[in-house]
C-alpha cells in the first residue's frame, strides 16, 4: 500500500464487496479488464449465501471470487483489501459500516443504500473522521478513478465509459451529489476537456460521509488533477466550505462550480426538487446564493447549466495553452467480450441448440402447456385428461376422448396390495425408504407381465385386424407363431356368465360416444372364439382399454403407423403408469400411517434348494 | 423524503406511548388530546372521551403550520379564558372548517383540529424547551420565557450542544449546568430536559419543541408541541411511533394524480415523483433522475418560462415498463385535458442524463405504450415532443420512440448524448420564440 495519502484508489486497489450483487461486480471486472489491471474485487461478503465462491468473467476467462460470511473474515484472508463497497440495504448498511470501522486495514467505505436514517448517517460520518477513515455515500453511485478503479455501476455501460473517457485518467477532479449527473458531467468533460482524473458522487442525503471539500482537498494535492468541477445543489452548507477554502488559499487550482436548483426560488420552498438533502432551509442555502458566493471568491460559475460546457472548454484550453495540461496519448482498448445471452438477444451471433421442446414453454409471463397458459387451463376448466392431451399428444382432445382417458386413469388407479407393483411399494416403504424410492419400485415392476397387457392387446389386436386375420386365424397365430397367450384376454374370476362390470362400462361408453369402435368389435369377435373354449377367456379390462385406445386415436386422426409409433414409444403403457402411480402413492402413505416394521419374508414360504457346485 | 413534519396530536401520542420508558414515575403526563377531522362525528365523540363534557377546553388547527396564537386560530375563551365548552369548540371548529384561510400566503381550508383540556396557568409559568439535529451535533434550547413571544425573547434562550457520540453523563452535565436561572425549580426542569432529549434522540426525531411547557409539581403539561421525525427510521422505531401519518403542508393537498403517483412510488423499488406546478402551463416534463430533473426545471425557468412550467417530477432506479407507462399516462392525461387558450402547441420534454443502469429502451417502451393510448388527444391539443437521453440501450430506445411517434403522427425531435443535456430546452423554447 504505497499510494500517496491523497489517493483513495489506484491501479492496485483491492476491494471487498458486501452483498452478492453479481451484475455490479461483473461491471467492475469488465472495467478492470478494459483498463488492463488485475481484478479489483478480492472478496465478497454475503452472510446468507450458502456458497463459498462465485464465478465471474475477467475478459473471456472465468475467475473465482471467494464469499465470506463476515467482513472481518474477508479482511483477514485478503489483507491487501483497503476498500469496502458496502452494498447492504438501508436496514443493514449501518451495522456493516460499524463492523468495518473495527477493521484497521479498511480505509475507504462506499455506502450505496438510500434511506439510511439521518442520525445513523451522521454518526457514521463523525466516527469515520475520528478514525481517519473515508466514507463515500450514502445514497450514491460511488465514483471512479479512471484507469485505476471503478466503484460498481459508476459510469454506466462499458461503451459509455469509453465514450466518456473514463477508462484513462484526464485532468479534471469532479465532485457531484447526484449519480445520474455524475455520468452526464463525465460526458461533458470528455467532450470539452480531456476527461476525469478522479470523480466522486458524494450522494444525495443530508449527511454525506464525506463532502465536496474533503475530496477537493485531495484533488488539490493530486498532481494529475489540473482543475476541478463542483456540481452542487440547493440546500445545505457544503458548497460554502469550498468557498471558504478557495478564499483561504487551501484550494489554488482552478475550480468550476455550479449549483443546481435555481428553480426553487420560484416556489418558496413548498416544492421538494430533487434529493432529500436538496431543500433550502435559509436564503443562504438557495442555489442562487451559493452560485453568487462561489463567483465572488473566483470560482468559475456559468450563468446556467447550458453554459457549463463552454466554461469547461475555456478553462481546459487556457491550461493547455499554458502547458499545464499535456496532450494525452489514447491507450488501446481491448474489446470487451459480449455476453452470449446478450449477443443472442441482439441477433449478433447464432448457436445451434442442444435440446428441442415442442410441448411447453416457460419463457414468457406465464408457463404454457402447448401454447395454452396455465391460467387459461384453470379458467377454461380443462381436466387432467385435457392436460394429458396437450402435453403428451399436443392437441386438445375432443370431449368424448377426454372423458374416456379420464375413465381409464380412474379404472387403472389401483388393484389392491397384492399385485406385484403395490407389493414392492409396501415392502420398500416398510424398509424405511422415502416416497420416491418406494414409488419407483412399484413402477419398475410394470412390464410385460404386470400392467403390460394394455400395450400388448393394442399391438396384437391391431396387427391382426390390419392383416385381415379372421378371429380364428388370429387365435391360431398367437398360439403357433407368437407362442404366448393373447394379451388382454382372460380373467382369474370373471367370465361370460359373470362379466366384469368395468369392462361393460367402458364398452358401453365407447359405443355411445366414439364415432367408431372397429377394433373393439373385432376384439369381441375374437372373444367369442376364446370363450367358446373356456368361459373365463373374456376380453379383460386391459384388453378393452388397449383396443379402445387404438380406436380413439384412429378417430382423432392418427394413421395406423402413427399409432404403432405411439405404442412403441410406450404411450399406451403411460396411461397405466400414470393411473397406477395414484394407487402406489396411496399404498406408500398407508404404510407410513401404519408405521409397519421392516418386512422379512418367512422362511417357511421359501423352498430352499441350494446345492454346492462341485470342485470348490 | 427524510425529515417529515408530524401533527401535534401524533407527537403527543408518541410521547405518551413511550412515556414510562423515559420518564418512569418521575414525571406524570396525562395525554388528553382528540384529533378532529372532517369525518368526526361530534355527537358520538363525548361517549369515547367523557372529559370533553366536563372540562374547559382549548381548540386549534393541527396542520403543521405554527404561530396559531398570533393568527387568532386558538380558541381558549368565549368571555374569559377557560370558559370554552364542548359545544362552543364544536361550533367554532365547524365554522373554521368552512372558511377559506390564508396561511403564509397559501390559501386553503382547515381540515384537522385538536381539542384538549384548558390548563389554567400564569404567563411566568410558561417555559420553553426544544431540540434540533444539526450537521455535527444536536442542540438543546432552554428558556424560562416560553409562550407565543419566545422568538422576541430569543436572547434569553440558552443553547447547549450535544455531540452525537455523547455518553449519558456527557448529556446530563452540560444540560443541568446550563438550565436558565429564571427557572424556579432548576433541578426538576433539568431532569425533565435530559429525559426528553433522550427520547428525542432514540425515537429519531429531528425537531422537537414544547412551547409552552408548564410544570406543576411532578405534573407536566405540554401545551403546544411541534415535531419532525426522520421517516427513513421507520424500520427502527416504527413500532414506537405507532400509526403515523405524514401530512402535506397546509394548502399543499395532493391532487388525485399526485396521489396516484405517490402510491405507485411507495409500491415500487424505483423512484416515481410528480408535483403539479401549474396545470394550465404549456411546458410538461418527463425527466429521468433526481438531479437531471432539477436541471431541466432550472433551465426552463432560466429561459424565462417558469410560468409555463406545468409540472416537476422524475422517474429513476430502472422502473418497469408498466410503471413507466402509468407514470407517463398520468402526465399525458393532465397535459391533454384542454387546448391552451393561446392556441399554441404544448411542449413535452422527455429528458434525462446518461443513465448508469436504467434500461433506456425498456422505459421508452413504457413511454411509447402511453403515447399509443394518448396519441389522438395529444394531436387534438397539439403537442411537440423533444427527447434527449443516454445510457444502457439508448440507441434502441431513441430509435423506437422516434419511429413510434412518427407512426402515430406526433411531431418529435430525438437526441442522444451527443447533444448537451438541456439543449432540447433551448431548442424547444427558441423555436417557440421564433414562432
Amino acid at each position: 500500500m504505497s499510494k500517496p495519502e491523497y489517493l483513495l484508489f489506484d491501479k492496485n486497489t483491492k476491494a471487498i464487496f458486501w452483498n452478492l450483487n453479481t451484475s455490479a461486480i461483473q461491471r467492475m471486472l469488465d472495467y478492470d479488464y478494459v483498463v488492463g489491471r488485475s481484478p479489483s474485487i478480492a472478496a465478497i461478503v454475503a452472510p446468507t449465501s450458502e456458497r463459498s465462491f462465485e464465478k465471474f468473467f475477467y475478459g473471456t476467462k472465468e475467475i473465482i471470487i471467494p464469499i465470506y460470511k463476515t467482513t472481518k473474515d474477508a479482511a483477514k484472508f485478503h489483507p491487501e483489501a483497503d476498500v469496502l463497497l458496502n452494498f447492504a440495504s438501508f436496514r443493514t448498511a449501518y451495522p456493516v459500516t460499524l463492523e468495518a470501522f473495527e477493521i484497521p486495514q479498511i480505509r475507504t467505505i462506499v455506502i450505496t443504500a438510500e434511506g439510511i436514517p439521518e442520525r445513523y448517517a451522521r454518526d457514521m460520518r463523525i466516527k469515520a473522521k475520528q478514525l481517519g477513515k473515508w466514507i463515500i455515500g450514502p445514497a450514491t453511485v460511488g465514483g471512479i478513478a479512471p484507469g485505476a478503479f471503478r466503484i460498481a455501476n459508476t459510469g454506466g455501460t462499458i461503451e459509455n465509459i469509453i465514450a466518456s473517457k473514463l477508462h484513462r485518467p484526464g485532468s479534471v477532479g469532479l465532485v457531484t451529489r447526484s449519480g445520474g449527473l455524475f455520468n452526464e458531467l463525465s460526458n461533458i468533460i470528455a467532450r470539452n476537456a480531456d476527461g476525469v482524473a478522479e470523480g466522486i458522487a458524494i450522494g444525495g442525503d443530508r449527511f454525506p460521509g464525506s463532502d465536496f471539500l474533503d475530496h477537493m482537498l485531495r484533488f488539490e494535492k493530486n498532481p494529475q488533477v489540473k482543475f476541478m468541477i463542483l456540481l452542487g445543489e440547493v440546500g445545505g452548507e457544503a458548497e460554502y466550505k469550498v468557498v471558504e477554502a478557495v478564499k483561504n488559499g487551501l484550494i489554488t487550482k482552478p475550480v468550476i462550480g455550479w449549483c443546481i436548483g435555481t428553480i426553487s426560488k420560484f416556489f418558496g420552498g413548498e416544492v421538494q426538487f430533487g434529493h432529500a438533502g436538496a431543500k433550502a432551509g435559509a436564503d443562504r442555502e438557495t442555489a442562487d446564493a451559493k452560485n453568487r458566493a462561489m463567483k465572488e471568491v473566483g470560482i468559475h460559475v456559468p450563468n446556467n447549466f447550458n453554459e457549463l460546457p463552454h466554461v469547461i472548454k475555456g478553462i481546459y484550453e487556457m491550461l493547455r495553452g499554458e502547458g499545464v495540461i499535456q496532450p494525452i496519448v489514447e491507450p488501446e482498448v481491448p474489446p470487451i467480450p459480449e455476453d452470449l445471452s446478450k449477443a443472442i438477444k441482439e441477433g449478433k451471433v447464432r448457436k445451434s441448440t442442444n435440446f428441442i421442446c415442442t410441448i411447453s414453454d416457460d419463457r414468457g409471463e406465464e408457463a404454457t402447456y402447448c401454447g395454452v397458459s396455465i391460467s387459461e387451463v384453470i379458467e377454461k376448466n380443462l381436466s387432467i385428461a385435457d392436460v394429458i392431451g396437450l402435453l403428451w399428444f399436443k392437441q386438445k382432445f375432443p370431449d368424448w376422448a377426454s372423458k374416456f382417458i379420464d375413465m381409464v386413469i380412474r379404472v387403472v388407479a389401483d388393484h389392491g396390495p397384492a399385485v406385484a407393483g403395490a407389493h414392492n411399494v409396501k415392502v420398500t416403504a416398510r424398509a424405511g425408504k422415502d416416497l420416491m424410492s418406494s414409488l419407483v419400485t412399484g413402477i419398475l415392476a410394470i412390464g410385460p407381465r404386470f400392467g403390460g397387457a394394455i400395450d400388448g392387446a393394442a399391438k396384437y389386436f391391431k396387427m391382426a385386424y390390419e392383416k385381415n386375420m379372421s378371429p380364428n386365424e388370429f387365435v391360431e397365430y398367437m398360439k403357433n407363431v407368437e407362442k404366448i397367450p393373447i394379451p388382454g384376454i382372460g380373467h382369474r374370476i370373471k367370465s361370460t356368465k359373470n362379466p366384469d362390470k368395468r369392462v361393460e362400462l367402458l364398452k358401453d361408453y365407447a359405443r355411445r360416444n366414439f364415432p367408431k369402435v372397429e377394433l373393439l368389435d373385432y376384439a369381441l369377435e375374437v372373444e367369442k372364439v376364446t370363450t367358446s373354449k373356456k368361459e373365463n377367456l373374456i376380453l379383460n379390462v386391459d384388453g378393452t382399454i388397449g383396443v379402445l385406445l387404438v380406436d380413439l386415436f384412429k378417430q382423432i386422426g392418427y394413421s395406423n403407423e402413427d399409432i404403432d409409433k405411439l405404442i412403441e414409444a410406450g404411450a399406451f403403457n403411460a396411461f397405466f403408469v400414470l393411473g397406477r402411480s395414484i394407487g402406489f402413492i396411496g399404498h406408500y402413505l398407508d404404510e407410513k400411517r401404519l408405521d409397519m416394521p421392516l418386512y422379512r419374508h418367512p422362511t417357511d414360504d421359501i423352498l430352499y434348494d441350494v446345492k454346492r457346485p462341485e470342485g470348490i | 423524503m427524510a425529515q417529515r413534519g408530524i401533527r401535534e396530536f401524533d407527537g403527543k401520542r408518541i410521547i405518551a406511548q413511550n412515556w414510562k420508558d423515559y420518564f418512569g414515575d418521575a414525571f406524570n403526563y396525562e395525554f388528553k388530546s382528540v384529533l378532529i377531522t372532517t369525518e368526526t362525528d361530534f355527537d358520538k365523540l363525548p361517549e369515547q372521551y367523557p372529559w370533553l363534557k366536563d372540562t374547559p377546553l382549548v381548540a386549534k388547527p393541527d396542520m403543521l403550520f405554527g404561530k396559531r396564537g398570533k393568527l387568532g386560530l386558538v380558541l381558549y375563551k368565549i368571555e374569559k379564558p377557560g370558559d370554552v365548552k364542548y359545544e362552543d369548540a364544536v361550533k367554532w371548529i365547524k365554522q373554521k372548517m368552512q372558511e377559506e384561510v390564508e396561511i403564509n400566503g397559501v390559501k386553503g381550508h382547515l381540515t384537522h383540529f385538536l381539542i384538549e383540556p384548558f390548563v389554567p396557568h400564569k404567563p411566568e409559568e410558561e417555559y420553553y424547551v426544544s431540540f434540533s439535529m444539526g450537521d455535527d451535533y444536536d442542540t438543546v434550547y432552554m428558556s424560562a420565557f416560553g409562550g407565543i413571544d419566545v422568538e422576541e425573547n430569543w436572547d434569553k434562550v440558552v443553547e447547549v450542544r450535544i455531540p452525537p457520540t455523547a455518553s449519558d453523563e456527557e448529556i446530563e452535565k452540560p444540560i443541568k449546568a446550563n438550565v436558565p436561572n429564571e427557572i424556579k425549580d432548576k433541578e426538576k426542569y433539568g431532569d425533565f430536559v435530559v429525559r426528553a432529549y433522550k427520547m428525542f434522540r432514540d425515537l429519531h426525531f429531528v425537531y422537537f419543541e414544547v412551547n409552552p411547557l408548564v410544570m406543576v409539581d411532578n405534573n407536566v403539561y405540554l401545551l403546544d408541541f411541534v415535531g419532525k421525525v426522520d421517516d427513513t427510521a421507520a424500520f427502527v422505531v416504527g413500532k414506537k411511533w405507532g400509526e403515523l401519518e405524514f401530512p402535506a403542508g397546509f394548502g399543499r393537498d395532493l391532487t388525485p394524480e399526485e396521489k396516484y403517483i405517490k402510491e405507485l412510488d411507495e409500491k415500487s423499488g424505483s423512484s416515481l415523483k410528480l408535483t403539479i406546478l401549474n396545470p394550465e402551463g404549456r411546458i410538461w416534463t418527463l425527466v429521468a433522475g433526481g438531479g437531471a430533473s432539477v436541471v431541466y426545471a432550472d433551465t426552463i425557468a432560466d429561459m424565462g418560462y417558469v410560468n409555463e412550467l406545468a409540472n416537476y417530477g422524475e422517474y429513476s432506479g430502472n422502473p418497469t415498463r408498466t410503471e413507466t407507462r402509468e407514470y407517463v399516462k398520468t402526465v399525458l392525461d393532465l397535459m391533454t385535458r384542454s387546448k391552451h387558450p393561446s392556441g399554441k402547441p404544448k411542449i413535452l420534454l422527455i429528458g434525462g442524463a446518461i443513465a448508469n443502469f436504467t434500461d433506456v429502451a425498456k422505459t421508452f417502451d413504457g413511454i411509447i405504450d402511453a403515447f399509443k393510448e394518448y396519441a389522438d388527444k395529444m394531436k387534438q391539443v397539439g403537442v411537440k415532443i423533444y427527447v434527449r437521453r443516454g445510457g444502457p440501450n439508448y440507441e434502441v430506445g431513441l430509435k423506437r420512440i422516434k419511429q413510434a411517434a412518427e407512426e402515430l403522427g406526433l411531431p418529435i425531435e430525438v437526441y442522444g448524448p451527443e447533444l448537451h443535456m438541456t439543449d432540447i430546452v433551448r431548442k424547444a423554447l427558441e423555436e417557440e420564440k421564433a414562432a
Side-chain angles (χ1 to χ4, degrees):
Chain A
M1 296 295 150
S2 55
K3 62 175 175 273
E5 273 291 302
Y6 57 79
L7 284 185
L8 297 181
F9 316 105
D10 66 8
K11 249 188 147 134
N12 301 314
T13 297
K14 296 272 181 185
I16 295 168
F17 202 108
W18 205 102
N19 209 348
L20 184 50
N21 184 332
T22 49
S23 57
I25 293 169
Q26 186 59 59
R27 286 191 189 111
M28 287 183 71
L29 295 169
D30 286 347
Y31 183 80
D32 296 340
Y33 178 74
V34 163
V35 304
R37 61 156 289 168
S38 63
S40 55
I41 309 281
I44 296 164
V45 182
T48 54
S49 173
E50 283 169 14
R51 310 201 43 184
S52 61
F53 67 88
E54 184 67 59
K55 285 194 309 174
F56 292 91
F57 282 109
Y58 175 69
T60 50
K61 254 181 20 200
E62 280 189 288
I63 57 166
I64 279 172
I65 299 183
I67 300 176
Y68 299 90
K69 299 274 180 213
T70 67
T71 315
K72 276 203 177 77
D73 280 352
K76 193 167 84 191
F77 289 103
H78 302 275
E80 73 282 15
D82 71 343
V83 173
L84 176 71
L85 302 176
N86 180 351
F87 265 61
S89 76
F90 64 93
R91 289 170 189 275
T92 351
Y94 180 57
V96 168
T97 304
L98 294 186
E99 189 197 357
F101 282 159
E102 311 273 308
I103 305 170
Q105 78 193 57
I106 301 286
R107 180 174 174 229
T108 307
I109 302 164
V110 181
I111 305 168
T112 53
E114 216 167 304
I116 294 175
E118 293 188 345
R119 207 161 267 281
Y120 293 168
R122 192 182 63 170
D123 279 6
M124 290 192 288
R125 187 195 68 199
I126 289 167
K127 281 180 192 152
K129 294 244 149 105
Q130 286 167 358
L131 292 164
K133 292 182 191 279
W134 285 83
I135 289 183
I136 299 173
T140 182
V141 67
I144 193 162
F149 186 83
R150 167 198 194 177
I151 297 171
N153 298 314
T154 310
T157 59
I158 280 291
E159 294 78 17
N160 185 62
I161 286 203
I162 291 162
S164 301
K165 303 234 174 2
L166 290 172
H167 61 299
R168 52 96 180 122
S171 305
V172 179
L174 170 65
V175 278
T176 70
R177 260 190 185 275
S178 145
L181 288 180
F182 181 88
N183 244 4
E184 191 64 38
L185 263 282
S186 304
N187 178 44
I188 295 173
I189 292 165
R191 283 166 193 277
N192 296 283
D194 65 355
V196 173
E198 191 190 325
I200 302 286
I202 64 166
D205 276 3
R206 190 174 159 205
F207 298 111
S210 55
D211 68 36
F212 301 130
L213 180 63
D214 298 322
H215 296 288
M216 290 172 79
L217 290 174
R218 288 196 299 109
F219 296 165
E220 175 72 17
K221 290 185 200 135
N222 182 351
Q224 177 69 39
V225 174
K226 309 297 183 199
F227 68 108
M228 304 180 209
I229 299 177
L230 155 66
L231 189 74
E233 255 179 44
V234 55
E237 295 269 333
E239 292 82 357
Y240 285 107
K241 292 189 192 164
V242 177
V243 166
E244 284 302 305
V246 171
K247 211 200 266 174
N248 300 334
L250 287 172
I251 291 177
T252 57
K253 293 177 182 174
V255 178
I256 299 169
W258 177 249
C259 256
I260 68 167
T262 54
I263 178 84
S264 68
K265 62 175 170 286
F266 297 102
F267 295 95
E270 285 298 318
V271 182
Q272 171 78 46
F273 288 99
H275 300 115
K279 198 160 179 174
D283 281 349
R284 222 177 115 72
E285 294 183 24
T286 62
D288 285 336
K290 292 200 236 184
N291 285 329
R292 250 191 328 268
M294 287 196 286
K295 206 166 195 164
E296 276 165 19
V297 294
I299 293 175
H300 303 272
V301 180
N303 290 315
N304 52 49
F305 188 80
N306 251 347
E307 265 186 23
L308 185 59
H310 312 298
V311 176
I312 294 173
K313 198 175 189 122
I315 301 286
Y316 170 69
E317 281 174 357
M318 183 188 83
L319 294 172
R320 279 277 281 128
E322 290 170 3
V324 176
I325 296 176
Q326 299 299 322
I328 290 177
V329 183
E330 295 294 340
E332 289 254 336
V333 179
I336 256 286
E338 202 160 338
D339 277 350
L340 186 62
S341 55
K342 193 173 162 234
I344 290 173
K345 209 169 131 193
E346 289 171 358
K348 287 185 186 158
V349 296
R350 59 190 183 188
K351 169 184 166 288
S352 69
T353 51
N354 283 314
F355 285 94
I356 305 173
C357 173
T358 67
I359 58 164
S360 61
D361 193 337
D362 58 342
R363 291 169 304 173
E365 292 267 312
E366 195 187 323
T368 58
Y369 298 160
C370 206
V372 182
S373 70
I374 297 176
S375 57
E376 213 180 326
V377 167
I378 303 296
E379 278 162 11
K380 296 203 168 143
N381 210 17
L382 298 193
S383 66
I384 289 185
D386 290 326
V387 172
I388 291 174
L390 291 172
L391 289 175
W392 292 9
F393 306 105
K394 305 207 289 175
Q395 61 174 276
K396 168 75 178 76
F397 283 145
D399 274 357
W400 60 264
S402 275
K403 282 191 183 129
F404 180 74
I405 300 293
D406 188 65
M407 284 169 74
V408 169
I409 302 290
R410 283 183 282 163
V411 164
V412 303
D414 193 45
H415 208 265
V419 298
H423 181 77
N424 273 0
V425 171
K426 289 176 81 71
V427 171
T428 312
R430 286 179 63 167
K433 297 302 293 274
D434 58 305
L435 170 76
M436 228 55 72
S437 312
S438 306
L439 178 60
V440 294
T441 58
I443 290 174
L444 288 173
I446 297 172
R449 293 183 183 171
F450 169 60
I454 293 176
D455 259 12
K459 182 176 157 192
Y460 288 111
F461 280 101
K462 179 170 176 291
M463 180 273 300
Y465 181 66
E466 276 164 22
K467 288 194 171 162
N468 283 321
M469 289 184 187
S470 71
N472 270 315
E473 283 168 355
F474 176 49
V475 174
E476 290 304 309
Y477 168 83
M478 291 304 289
K479 195 164 82 185
N480 300 327
V481 182
E482 296 289 339
K483 296 189 168 79
I484 51 165
I486 305 172
I489 292 283
H491 197 278
R492 213 159 37 83
I493 322 159
K494 300 288 174 185
S495 66
T496 38
K497 299 216 178 71
N498 174 19
D500 186 335
K501 201 167 177 198
R502 297 174 298 171
V503 172
E504 297 305 303
L505 286 169
L506 289 169
K507 285 196 298 197
D508 184 51
Y509 177 83
R511 280 200 192 291
R512 283 199 283 121
N513 296 284
F514 282 36
K516 271 180 167 176
V517 283
E518 292 169 46
L519 197 60
L520 175 68
D521 288 340
Y522 177 74
L524 292 175
E525 290 304 311
V526 174
E527 184 189 43
K528 278 182 193 157
V529 176
T530 52
T531 50
S532 68
K533 293 176 180 169
K534 218 174 161 199
E535 271 200 342
N536 69 339
L537 291 180
I538 53 165
L539 181 66
N540 63 25
V541 72
D542 294 346
T544 311
I545 290 170
V547 299
L548 280 174
L549 283 173
V550 174
D551 280 332
L552 184 151
F553 281 102
K554 248 187 202 164
Q555 295 308 318
I556 61 173
Y558 278 67
S559 72
N560 285 327
E561 292 71 39
D562 292 341
I563 296 172
D564 287 339
K565 279 186 197 158
L566 283 186
I567 297 170
E568 197 59 37
F572 282 25
N573 207 8
F575 289 106
F576 181 79
V577 172
L578 176 68
R580 189 52 60 90
S581 293
I582 298 172
F584 289 163
I585 291 170
H587 287 294
Y588 168 80
L589 294 175
D590 200 32
E591 284 297 345
K592 290 288 144 180
R593 218 167 13 235
L594 298 166
D595 200 15
M596 293 286 281
L598 176 68
Y599 176 75
R600 187 188 170 90
H601 204 70
T603 50
D604 62 7
D605 191 40
I606 298 168
L607 165 63
Y608 293 91
D609 181 22
V610 186
K611 290 190 184 83
R612 189 179 164 95
E614 284 169 31
I616 293 176
Chain B
M1 288 305 279
Q3 304 198 350
R4 311 286 293 262
I6 58 170
R7 292 192 199 284
E8 180 175 354
F9 172 83
D10 281 320
K12 289 178 173 173
R13 178 183 55 73
I14 292 170
I15 293 171
Q17 279 169 6
N18 296 283
W19 189 264
K20 287 279 171 225
D21 291 346
Y22 292 90
F23 297 93
D25 296 320
F27 295 94
N28 305 318
Y29 169 53
E30 204 176 4
F31 176 57
K32 274 187 174 173
S33 300
V34 183
L35 184 67
I36 307 294
T37 70
T38 48
E39 326 267 88
T40 302
D41 183 342
F42 287 107
D43 296 333
K44 288 208 177 127
L45 208 56
E47 290 170 22
Q48 214 181 332
Y49 307 99
W51 53 266
L52 286 171
K53 283 287 195 184
D54 52 33
T55 318
L57 301 173
V58 177
K60 56 188 173 181
D62 189 0
M63 300 179 68
L64 303 194
F65 62 84
K67 303 207 169 61
R68 292 165 295 188
K70 291 199 168 163
L71 289 163
L73 287 172
V74 179
L75 177 74
Y76 63 100
K77 65 171 183 178
I78 301 295
E79 311 254 291
K80 58 179 189 352
D83 65 353
V84 176
K85 295 200 180 68
Y86 180 61
E87 292 69 24
D88 302 323
V90 170
K91 194 177 143 200
W92 183 79
I93 289 171
K94 281 184 174 167
Q95 186 199 333
K96 289 289 169 200
M97 276 182 176
Q98 309 231 324
E99 297 168 4
E100 192 182 52
V101 291
E102 191 176 318
I103 313 286
N104 304 326
V106 182
K107 283 182 185 160
H109 281 91
L110 298 171
T111 53
H112 290 73
F113 286 82
L114 193 61
I115 302 184
E116 297 182 329
F118 175 82
V119 179
H121 64 278
K122 299 184 200 95
E124 61 268 27
E125 289 170 343
E126 293 192 340
Y127 294 161
Y128 176 90
V129 65
S130 73
F131 313 110
S132 75
M133 181 176 164
D135 280 5
D136 300 307
Y137 41 78
D138 294 334
T139 308
V140 177
Y141 300 90
M142 299 182 283
S143 170
F145 303 93
I148 60 174
D149 293 328
V150 71
E151 282 179 23
E152 284 79 352
N153 291 309
W154 199 251
D155 54 328
K156 289 171 187 143
V157 173
V158 177
E159 286 184 33
V160 178
R161 291 173 174 183
I162 314 270
T165 46
S167 65
D168 279 3
E169 199 193 341
E170 285 163 343
I171 294 170
E172 277 172 37
K173 242 174 122 178
I175 290 179
K176 289 188 172 166
N178 286 289
V179 172
N181 281 327
E182 299 89 345
I183 285 174
K184 265 186 223 149
D185 190 339
K186 285 177 71 177
E187 197 181 318
K188 193 175 278 176
Y189 175 90
D191 186 25
F192 176 81
V193 172
V194 167
R195 290 165 187 266
Y197 170 76
K198 288 180 185 165
M199 178 185 250
F200 156 82
R201 184 193 60 186
D202 293 356
L203 298 188
H204 287 262
F205 278 92
V206 292
Y207 189 69
F208 182 112
E209 178 190 80
V210 183
N211 179 37
L213 164 71
V214 171
M215 305 176 82
V216 180
D217 301 325
N218 287 331
N219 298 316
V220 179
Y221 301 95
L222 314 175
L223 297 191
D224 196 342
F225 175 83
V226 179
K228 278 186 188 176
V229 299
D230 171 8
D231 70 351
T232 57
F235 77 93
V236 187
V237 285
K239 260 193 183 157
K240 294 189 174 179
W241 289 345
E243 205 175 303
L244 186 54
E245 178 204 13
F246 298 112
F250 176 76
R252 272 294 318 160
D253 288 338
L254 298 180
T255 65
E257 293 80 17
E258 289 171 334
K259 216 168 161 184
Y260 176 67
I261 297 301
K262 191 169 169 246
E263 285 165 6
L264 211 60
D265 181 49
E266 280 160 5
K267 271 182 265 166
S268 163
S270 312
S271 169
L272 301 159
K273 303 272 185 306
L274 176 67
T275 307
I276 315 286
L277 301 173
N278 171 18
E280 308 299 322
R282 279 176 46 228
I283 305 170
W284 293 78
T285 59
L286 286 172
V287 182
S293 60
V294 177
V295 176
Y296 277 90
D298 284 355
T299 308
I300 293 162
D302 192 59
M303 294 190 69
Y305 283 83
V306 68
N307 294 327
E308 293 288 1
L309 180 57
N311 71 316
Y312 168 75
E314 62 106 2
Y315 65 94
S316 57
N318 207 9
T320 66
R321 179 172 175 168
T322 318
E323 285 167 346
T324 315
R325 184 190 69 211
E326 287 306 301
Y327 182 79
V328 176
K329 271 170 65 183
T330 308
V331 172
L332 293 182
D333 189 64
L334 284 160
M335 184 179 186
T336 56
R337 283 186 190 168
S338 61
K339 252 190 146 125
H340 195 261
S342 70
K344 287 189 189 172
K346 300 194 179 186
I347 295 167
L348 179 62
L349 298 169
I350 300 179
I354 301 166
N356 281 305
F357 56 88
T358 294
D359 184 334
V360 174
K362 189 178 74 187
T363 51
F364 273 29
D365 281 345
I367 299 179
I368 294 167
D369 292 342
F371 277 180
K372 285 184 182 154
E373 287 185 46
Y374 277 86
D376 291 340
K377 284 183 156 187
M378 288 164 83
K379 279 187 268 186
Q380 268 168 31
V381 299
V383 175
K384 173 104 202 250
I385 307 162
Y386 295 83
V387 180
R388 192 279 186 182
R389 185 79 161 122
N393 266 330
Y394 80 93
E395 294 101 328
V396 180
L398 295 182
K399 202 170 120 195
R400 283 193 200 150
I401 202 166
K402 187 162 202 277
Q403 202 177 344
E406 282 167 359
E407 277 169 19
L408 294 165
L410 301 167
I412 190 165
E413 286 183 29
V414 176
Y415 303 94
E418 74 285 352
L419 187 79
H420 183 52
M421 191 174 87
T422 45
D423 260 3
I424 54 165
V425 180
R426 196 178 47 76
K427 280 180 186 286
L429 298 180
E430 274 173 7
E431 275 179 37
E432 164 81 25
K433 273 182 190 152

